[in-house]
Amino acid sequence: MRPYPIHVGSLVRAELSRQNQTVTWLAEQLGIQRTNCYRILSAQSVHTVMLERLSIAMQHDFFADCTSQINQRSK
C-alpha cells in the first residue's frame, strides 16, 4: 500500500478553484445535486465513470493527473 494515496476529491477541488468555478456550477454540469458534488470533493476515490464525467465537464484530464502522481511516486 502506498503511504500517500491519491485523493481524487482534492484534485477536483483544486481544478475547480483554478477554473474559478463553483460547486453549484459543477453539480449542474454533472446533472447531480450540490450535496452529492460535495461528497465527490471529499472522496479519496471515485469510480472511473465519474472521473470521466468530471474530466469532460471540466475539460481537464484527471486521469493524466493521477498518472503523473503515480509516476512521481515511483521514482
Side-chain angles (χ1 to χ4, degrees):
M1 181 175 0
R2 294 178 299 216
Y4 304 105
I6 296 168
H7 194 286
V8 175
S10 294
L11 294 176
V12 175
R13 188 178 293 275
E15 181 61 21
L16 195 61
S17 177
R18 189 192 72 74
Q19 291 186 15
N20 200 29
Q21 295 291 355
T22 65
V23 174
T24 301
W25 172 85
L26 182 57
E28 288 172 0
Q29 299 302 305
L30 296 172
I32 62 174
Q33 294 180 356
R34 191 170 45 100
T35 54
N36 290 334
C37 196
Y38 279 112
R39 286 188 189 128
I40 292 169
L41 297 176
S42 65
Q44 181 174 335
S45 63
V46 297
H47 290 278
T48 55
V49 172
M50 179 53 73
L51 195 59
E52 179 184 20
R53 289 179 63 197
L54 287 161
S55 294
I56 292 168
M58 298 181 72
Q59 297 181 0
H60 180 83
D61 188 351
F62 289 105
F63 292 99
D65 291 348
C66 293
T67 300
S68 176
Q69 285 195 16
I70 290 168
N71 290 336
Q72 288 175 5
R73 292 177 185 167
S74 66
K75 291 182 180 181

